[in-house]
Amino acid sequence: MSCNETILVSSCLVGLCTRYDAQANTSTGCLERIGAATWIPVCPEQLGGLPTPRPPADISGGTGHDVLRGTANVLCRDGSEVTAAFIKGAHQVLEIARKQKISRVLLKARSPSCGVTRLGVTAALLLEQGFKLEEFD
């Protein structure tokens, strides 16, 4: 990545303890991909108002696109619904991306917020708005 490029990155991928279990998920591949670029860490779930740690959650009844359309939900394993927080966090990330003129977004794979292959809520919103996404484990 170019040193004059600004990217958003899932905060857990760069070593911040923002995962649901209050752990980091530092990704060497992601850190290498960032290179000399300017980067801004984000956690959509925290930006949506959820605490850390928090119960693990998953999308029920569809993909991130379906959650944004109101035809699927985000449920915690304990049965509580956190759909509104996931949507709020996705919109917060979108606002940051727009204000900071982000060129690329590096996201955590298999996350109900950030997953790209298994499409999460934030990833779906960013894709709908034309952002280039990459995912890392």
Side-chain angles (χ1 to χ4, degrees):
M1 302 223 168
S2 163
C3 63
N4 56 1
E5 182 177 21
T6 303
I7 60 173
L8 281 185
V9 61
S10 292
S11 55
C12 62
L13 293 175
V14 294
L16 300 176
C17 297
T18 55
R19 276 177 30 128
Y20 73 91
D21 58 2
Q23 299 296 309
N25 201 48
T26 308
S27 167
T28 304
C30 180
L31 293 172
E32 289 171 359
R33 185 79 170 115
I34 290 170
T38 300
W39 51 276
I40 299 170
V42 294
C43 176
E45 293 161 29
Q46 287 182 336
L47 288 168
L50 296 175
T52 302
R54 57 191 167 272
D58 210 348
I59 295 173
S60 176
T63 68
H65 287 302
D66 300 313
V67 172
L68 293 170
R69 287 188 208 105
T71 60
N73 297 315
V74 184
L75 302 174
C76 292
R77 289 190 191 148
D78 67 6
S80 58
E81 184 172 340
V82 289
T83 305
F86 272 67
I87 292 171
K88 178 181 177 184
H91 283 279
Q92 292 291 316
V93 171
L94 176 60
E95 188 71 16
I96 293 167
R98 285 180 172 158
K99 287 187 176 180
Q100 297 300 317
K101 297 179 176 57
I102 296 300
S103 58
R104 185 177 312 269
V105 185
L106 309 181
L107 298 171
K108 172 67 180 92
R110 296 185 311 276
S111 160
S113 289
C114 297
V116 177
T117 302
R118 223 175 99 199
L119 196 59
V121 179
T122 298
L125 184 61
L126 294 172
L127 279 173
E128 288 175 1
Q129 298 299 312
F131 287 91
K132 296 176 186 173
L133 309 181
E134 295 179 52
E135 70 179 350
F136 294 85
D137 277 319

